[in-house]
Amino acid sequence: MSALMARRRVIAWHRFLRQGTLLALGSGIGLAARIPLAPLISKDGPAYASPALAAWTAIRYPESLAERASTITGALSLTVVVALMLVSAIVFRKSLAGRDAAAALVSGMGWVAPVAVMVGSIALGSYAPRYLQPLFFAPLCTLVLAPRLFPRGIAFIRDLPHRAVTALLAGLVVVLLSVSTGLAGALIRSSSALDPDIQCVDAWITASHRTGAGDFFTTRGPKAYLAQPSHLIQVDQTFRAYPWLADRADYAQSAVSFVLTDSRTGSEHPPLVLPAVARIAPSSTVHCGRYTITDFGTDILPIGPAPAHLNQ
């Protein structure tokens, strides 16, 4: 984006080079600072890049966006995002023509950042929707330019009587406080209502007084509400310890007696490859909605050591 601005002579080339140097220097310092902190970081840099999965992520991300668009609120949010991106692109083009560097930089972020993040995530083969936050928030940058885009509207407000402006601002504050209160109440009600499937899983684990295992995606919910979180150990797809966002003290137990899976296992995320003993040992199945507990009765399933990049 800065290179395009320099090419169109919105900013000088020496300014572009200075910006590029500062960005490269900041990135280098960040990477260097990571080295002494490596023992405290579960994943190394290469663990976040899997270009071989680029084709899979190129399909998975659109599916996720389509799933979001299937609800009214999701469709509305995506519509607003796309509209703001289009507005950002239009304002960016006009800012280049008018050689307005500040407006070009702000509006450019509104459409370049979402595109760069999406394309970059797909190219790296990284399926982590949380990293797509710029897709939803960067387009809001263009709203900062509203006074420039609608100068007549701002002038109209300035021409209003002082009391009218005060009443308008007071009304806006009341509306915002009302909306915030309503949203806060909805969040409180949502957080206090425990998912019945998770409640079923946690009740069974608590009653069994035994320890089981499951992958990251399956265990996060039940483990968060479990009275004794260590009774549900997080493993990877090959049934090795996976101490990522998990208490490493959980892995003091080297074997488990049951396996937790959910309806997404085998479809949205790979199936667990259980130890060989699981193929011959008797087991029973407990269903808790979208969760399935495969119970072997005793601690016969050994948990393998964590991968090298996690075993620190």
Side-chain angles (χ1 to χ4, degrees):
M1 182 177 66
S2 295
L4 180 58
M5 292 171 62
R7 185 173 180 273
R8 295 291 295 272
R9 298 182 180 180
V10 178
I11 60 174
W13 278 106
H14 68 83
R15 186 176 179 183
F16 162 71
L17 293 175
R18 184 166 62 247
Q19 291 175 352
T21 301
L22 289 175
L23 285 174
L25 182 61
S27 299
I29 293 175
L31 292 173
R34 182 186 173 99
I35 296 175
L37 298 176
L40 304 176
I41 304 174
S42 293
K43 283 191 173 184
D44 55 16
Y48 288 94
S50 303
L53 297 177
W56 180 78
T57 53
I59 297 174
R60 190 70 189 94
Y61 276 122
E63 288 179 346
S64 297
L65 290 174
E67 182 179 353
R68 181 172 180 81
S70 64
T71 64
I72 295 178
T73 54
L76 180 60
S77 67
L78 289 177
T79 300
V80 172
V81 166
V82 172
L84 286 175
M85 287 179 63
L86 292 175
V87 171
S88 298
I90 294 172
V91 174
F92 178 71
R93 183 177 179 180
K94 290 185 176 181
S95 300
L96 290 181
R99 296 191 178 183
D100 187 339
L105 180 63
V106 173
S107 59
M109 280 296 297
W111 71 273
V112 172
V115 173
V117 169
M118 177 61 78
V119 173
S121 296
I122 292 175
L124 291 175
S126 174
Y127 182 68
R130 62 186 178 276
Y131 295 140
L132 297 185
Q133 293 183 40
L135 179 67
F136 293 91
F137 296 111
L140 295 175
C141 291
T142 305
L143 296 179
V144 176
L145 301 175
R148 294 191 183 190
L149 300 177
F150 306 102
R152 293 183 180 179
I154 300 300
F156 171 76
I157 294 176
R158 288 176 179 172
D159 292 339
L160 288 175
H162 178 70
R163 291 184 178 179
V165 174
T166 302
L168 181 63
L169 292 177
L172 181 61
V173 170
V174 171
V175 170
L176 292 176
L177 288 176
S178 299
V179 172
S180 299
T181 302
L183 291 176
L187 288 174
I188 293 174
R189 290 190 297 271
S190 176
S191 63
S192 61
L194 183 59
D195 184 293
D197 296 347
I198 292 179
Q199 191 172 14
C200 172
V201 170
D202 287 358
W204 187 91
I205 295 176
T206 300
S208 71
H209 300 292
R210 289 186 280 111
T211 302
D215 65 21
F216 171 82
F217 297 98
T218 303
T219 61
R220 298 316 297 167
K223 189 176 178 69
Y225 294 97
L226 198 59
Q228 294 291 332
S230 60
H231 285 177
L232 191 54
I233 298 177
Q234 188 172 284
V235 296
D236 66 7
Q237 276 66 47
T238 57
F239 222 73
R240 296 180 298 177
Y242 190 59
W244 185 54
L245 303 181
D247 192 336
R248 299 190 180 218
D250 293 353
Y251 301 97
Q253 180 153 334
S254 59
V256 297
S257 65
F258 65 87
V259 178
L260 181 67
T261 56
D262 63 16
S263 57
R264 299 173 299 172
T265 304
S267 57
E268 295 186 23
H269 45 95
L272 287 173
V273 180
L274 301 182
V277 66
R279 293 194 291 268
I280 59 175
S283 64
S284 59
T285 302
V286 179
H287 296 285
C288 285
R290 65 182 181 278
Y291 294 99
T292 299
I293 301 171
T294 304
D295 182 25
F296 293 89
T298 57
D299 297 332
I300 62 171
L301 303 177
I303 296 177
H309 66 277
L310 291 177
N311 192 19
Q312 298 182 18

